Amino acid sequence: MAHQQHKPDPANPHPHWVHEFRQFYRQFPETLRGRYRQATNVQGDPNAEPPGCPKIWKTIGDEILFCCRVESVQHIACCVQAFLAALDEYGSQLDGNVALDVKGSGWLAAFPSENISIEVLSGNANTPTESDEPDEDFEKSADDQPSKFDFLGTGIDTGFRISKNATSDRFTASVGLAYHLSKAATLHLFNGVFEYHGRESFKGVNRDQPYPVVTIVSERNEKKREMRDRERLVLRQESAPPLALFDFLKAFMEHENIDPPTLPLRTGDSAPNPPPSYQRYLEGLQSQRKESAKRDAGMVKAAEIADDTNVPIPNTVRAFLKGEVKKSPHEEPTNVMQSKKVHRRGRGRLVRRKLRDQDRD
């Protein structure tokens, strides 16, 4: 968070920015909930959390990270529209008072394939152990209380990497998020203005190959917006038309073998077929379960024979007990979280981060 230098206040032992941070952590989530209510026309208790609203995942320094389980393209559009409006509203409160500002970015991550949910152990006796298989109830717990979980995988890593391009006037979006938002814009479900900045290499993203940089205009100052519009005319630059952007991102994902996020258009519509990566995940999971069942049966048989001293131990059982049984060519390398995931439909989780420039000298 950038700030101006202020003279020390003898009555306040803390720097001036400390108060602003405390206000930020309290007020911005409330602002987001209010804007989400407006975007979705949710009625009811204004103090209650509206269904589908992004929740706080965690805070990292001067950042607040929000996430939610996305239900449809329409739901994504409402979430991002509400977040942009919250940035605008909260940023306007900072204008003229302190030299602080807010900025943000967003991305999608698919679960349980390519990304995983891990419960953060807290001493709770009901916490699943590594021997338990997380089921849909486990995933729902992650959706309901994300602050008690961590989310790991390529989709999460990509979001953190691209967020470095976020500025107060540009909200950065991952390829998957921009793909759905541009589609929503063509159907008049989202009214954001897109900008395309070419491709850039990010460490660990898309095999370090150039990755599209897409932003959504988040400049709240009308005069600055007008100035930028005139600057684009001088540079012969135009905003990215939603339909053209959607077609480009679709072609890019096909070329790079990236599965497009599969979601229904509107909440309540029938879900589309899951992506190929999820089908491969299920095949690997089923193969692992079969191998586990074989090993369990072998252990039971070995125990029964060991109890009967009059029965000679077959060579196959001896080999099993010595660890000489060969693994199936389809068996995946040992990975506790991967091997324990259960058969379930594809899903996504929208992660949105709230960023602030920092200069605490």
Side-chain angles (χ1 to χ4, degrees), residues 55-291:
K55 302 177 181 180
I56 294 178
W57 170 22
K58 64 171 111 177
T59 60
I60 304 177
D62 55 357
E63 305 170 8
I64 303 178
L65 282 76
F66 298 86
C67 71
C68 69
R69 180 172 183 162
V70 293
E71 304 294 344
S72 64
V73 176
Q74 183 184 35
H75 182 214
I76 290 177
C78 288
C79 289
V80 176
Q81 201 79 60
F83 188 78
L84 291 171
L87 286 176
D88 185 273
E89 179 179 338
Y90 193 85
S92 297
Q93 297 175 18
L94 299 175
D95 290 344
N97 296 324
V98 290
L100 304 174
D101 215 334
V102 288
K103 57 184 179 180
S105 64
W107 63 95
L108 292 177
F111 293 80
S113 177
E114 297 185 353
N115 303 276
I116 60 174
S117 304
I118 298 179
E119 186 170 14
V120 179
L121 299 180
S122 59
N124 187 340
N126 294 324
T127 298
T129 65
E130 289 185 350
S131 61
D132 297 327
E133 285 193 351
D135 53 15
E136 184 59 26
D137 290 336
F138 177 83
E139 294 293 346
K140 188 177 185 304
S141 296
D143 299 331
D144 294 339
Q145 297 180 303
S147 61
K148 294 184 177 181
F149 292 78
D150 207 354
F151 309 117
L152 306 175
T154 56
I156 303 298
D157 293 342
T158 295
F160 281 108
R161 296 293 184 184
I162 68 167
S163 65
K164 76 181 187 69
N165 286 333
T167 61
S168 61
D169 59 354
R170 287 175 176 171
F171 172 95
T172 61
S174 67
V175 166
L177 180 59
Y179 170 82
H180 278 310
L181 288 176
S182 58
K183 181 178 181 179
T186 63
L187 300 172
H188 307 290
L189 298 176
F190 181 72
N191 60 9
V193 178
F194 298 94
E195 293 182 335
Y196 178 64
H197 308 276
R199 284 185 267 177
E200 181 180 340
S201 295
F202 299 91
K203 184 179 180 180
V205 175
N206 193 36
R207 308 180 310 281
D208 294 336
Q209 297 301 306
Y211 183 89
V213 178
V214 181
T215 63
I216 301 170
V217 175
S218 57
E219 176 58 67
R220 60 183 175 274
N221 186 291
E222 184 176 353
K223 290 184 177 180
K224 286 185 179 180
R225 284 200 302 269
E226 292 176 352
M227 181 186 67
R228 285 190 57 191
D229 290 341
R230 292 186 175 92
E231 182 181 24
R232 281 198 294 267
L233 289 175
V234 172
L235 297 174
R236 296 184 179 181
Q237 297 175 343
E238 296 182 359
S239 58
L243 182 58
L245 180 62
F246 174 81
D247 289 341
F248 162 67
L249 294 176
K250 181 179 180 181
F252 173 81
M253 287 187 285
E254 290 177 351
H255 180 266
E256 297 293 334
N257 294 319
I258 300 174
D259 286 339
T262 55
L263 289 167
L265 179 59
R266 290 181 171 82
T267 303
D269 291 352
S270 58
N273 292 328
S277 61
Y278 183 67
Q279 298 293 347
R280 294 191 296 270
Y281 165 80
L282 291 181
E283 292 171 1
L285 184 62
Q286 291 167 357
S287 176
Q288 287 179 340
R289 285 179 170 175
K290 290 180 180 179
E291 293 299 328

